[in-house]
Amino acid sequence: HRVAKAVPESAFGTDFLNGLVQNLIDTMRANNGAGIAAPQIGEEWRVFVVHGTGSNPRYPYKPAIPLTVFVNPVIEVIDPTPMHIVEGCLSVPGMRGEVSRAAAVRCTAFRPDGTKFVVRAEGHAAGTLQHELDHLDGKLFPDIAFAGRLMTSESFELHEKARFFAYANELRDRYPTAVAFEEVDDAGNGLAVDEVVLQAELTWTGSRFERGVEVVVGSDGRIARVSPKSARLGGVVRLERKALVPGFVNAHSHAFQRGLRGKGESYPRRPDGEETPSFWTWREAMYGLVQTLGSVEAFKRQTKRCFEEMAAAGITTCGEFHYFHHALPESGEGDENFELDEAVVQAAREANVRLVLLSAFYERGGFDGRALSDGQRRFRTMDGERYWQQMERLDASLDKSRGEGLGVVVHSLRAVGTPMLQSLAAEAARRGMPLHVHLEEQPQEIKDCVAAHGVTPLALLLDNVPAESLRRLCAVHCTHSKPDELARLVAAGGGVCVCPLTEAALGDGVFASLEATAGAVSLGTDCNARIDMIEEMRWLEYSQRLERGRRGVFSSVAGKGDEGFLARQLLDCATRHGAAHLGVEAGAIQAGLWADFALIDLDAPALAELAGSDDELLSAAVFGGSAEGLVVDTCVAGRWTKQGEK
């Protein structure tokens, strides 16, 4: 109950203050808190942290709030309308109490580096700020609760929860703008501006590059509007000699497989003749990599490095097709622990890549029902109930304030039997989740399925997945699919993801049924031997040219009403179609979507001395550039990777 001390200016930017902040964040996350103040961990400094994921299991009604650190905060009430909140607190375990909070406040504070900022908060976010400030002033919620309105957590669950949650949801609807950050002028005064304006030399507006355009990003991380450039005094980020394009959407990745890069690329002749390396021999090498990634730390290091490369390559969203679930326990094999699931979420978040975690079910070693091999045991999910329990834990850990998501994966029809396929598809549809599956990447897969079931894997899938699930389904590869079967999938609303560089690296073959998709395919980096969505775009077309002996193949399929603008069609595959297959509101520079951008250097060597028009710039980038030379930064939900939050 002691009043905390102000942090002196000399402490800003120091290891001491940064360490205190990290300790607060770690403690808050470990306890599923929505906020935490320094006195709660025994530090008598005026510092608190708030973060609303939008899916906190303790406070499911609280909105998404960006992770924000407040140093020396001062709160001003701007709307005194009382809200009667039943609060809990990490410092008062097992208790709840009803208190009154003002409906809207303005808080002026400093960041740990000493930068001053102002934030307006309303509804539950305003209540959270007031609750945390009480800690700094030596007060806890029992000190200010209404008479007779303190209760145990058990009593709250039994007698109060339903009523209060209904009221809390009403408050969330009544006050939809949780927080709005304001600019601060040179005198430190708030300018009542909660938007950032990006003015690039060129902006991709959906069909072409345009000049004189500004993109306004709201404090919620979404695009507020796209409009002609205006004269503004503040809040403007001028991106000279830069082009703004939608952030690339990587619809299919196995991040840990980056560790295979350079391995298995020697093919010596054997005394008894040359063995033909194949996808299947590569798979054995992948199992070897799995054994070297025994700990959570080793796995996270490898996946984080992969996501960092993605961010550097302009990728802002990744659909991580995640089947490597289990760390090796100290005792050896052990049970399913799912310890690597949260590690991959954290790795992507730290790299500033939005993750859609596509969590895989993997129960058997082949169409004949054989047991998993030793190399596959750490992928196993043998129990549907445990799988969904883990999915619910993962959902609670996602940061909805930056659009993180979750999807269901049938690893392949050789790894998942028909009864579980039906169960997973039905539950994915009930929960409104995307459903992804590896399909017909290899001829042997098709032969084995026909031997076991009398039909191809795609036909088996179409016969066992309900129409509602097919509308959210993305089949990955379909390299050897029959055009008529693939057309049935697309007609039902399903999608296809193609991974040209991986399919070339593994010798899979060229995607044969482009016409069946009308060009509406997404792109993935898959094994991540090479991470470059510009190259994936280029080789989606070039592989078809090599196969068919003519140019403009993709355009002839996807170009109806589009004047054959091939580069635009390919960019849609790397943005819009990927976002659709992952269920993410992204993929275009458009009001209401997430503020996800890749920033292109117009002075890059690949674009130098080109006399063409702005309309030819995208073609020059797609067919002559690479991500390393063109992309200088990415932005995810308003947060820039290299330059920090603007």
Side-chain angles (χ1 to χ4, degrees), residues 364 367 410-417 421 437-439 457 460-461:
R364 65 183 190 180
F367 285 104
V410 173
H411 175 273
S412 57
L413 298 194
R414 69 175 182 271
V416 177
L421 166 67
V437 57
H438 286 134
L439 203 71
L460 184 65
L461 181 116

Side-chain angles (χ1 to χ4, degrees), residues 87-89 101 126-135 139 141:
E87 294 186 347
C89 183
R101 298 296 187 190
T128 297
L129 297 190
Q130 293 168 78
H131 175 103
E132 300 306 332
L133 188 69
D134 281 349
H135 280 293
K139 294 183 288 187
F141 75 79

Side-chain angles (χ1 to χ4, degrees), residues 533-562:
M533 292 296 279
I534 292 174
E535 283 195 20
E536 298 286 359
M537 287 185 257
R538 180 160 59 242
W539 279 98
L540 179 60
E541 165 66 15
Y542 277 5
S543 62
Q544 296 294 327
R545 294 184 185 186
L546 289 170
E547 180 73 10
R548 305 188 190 202
R550 62 184 178 87
R551 291 162 54 86
V553 177
F554 195 88
S555 186
S556 68
V557 171
K560 296 177 181 178
D562 197 5

Side-chain angles (χ1 to χ4, degrees), residues 443-519:
Q444 188 64 48
E445 171 193 352
I446 299 173
K447 292 177 184 177
D448 290 347
C449 186
V450 171
H453 296 281
V455 295
T456 66
L458 180 48
L460 184 65
L461 181 116
L462 290 168
D463 290 342
N464 286 279
V465 174
E468 186 175 357
S469 296
L470 288 176
R471 287 195 290 272
R472 294 185 176 88
L473 186 137
C474 178
V476 182
H477 300 304
C478 297
T479 312
H480 303 283
S481 295
K482 294 179 179 179
D484 60 329
E485 291 180 348
L486 198 60
R488 284 178 57 200
L489 173 66
V490 173
V496 176
C497 177
V498 182
C499 309
L501 297 185
T502 293
E503 289 149 5
L506 301 186
D508 291 341
V510 176
F511 178 52
S513 302
L514 185 61
E515 283 80 0
T517 69

Side-chain angles (χ1 to χ4, degrees), residues 49 61 93 163 221 324 382 392-393 450 488 499 542 573 612 638:
V49 176
Y61 49 83
R163 178 196 64 81
F324 189 177
M382 306 301 292
E392 288 167 1
R393 286 191 290 269
V450 171
R488 284 178 57 200
C499 309
Y542 277 5
C573 294

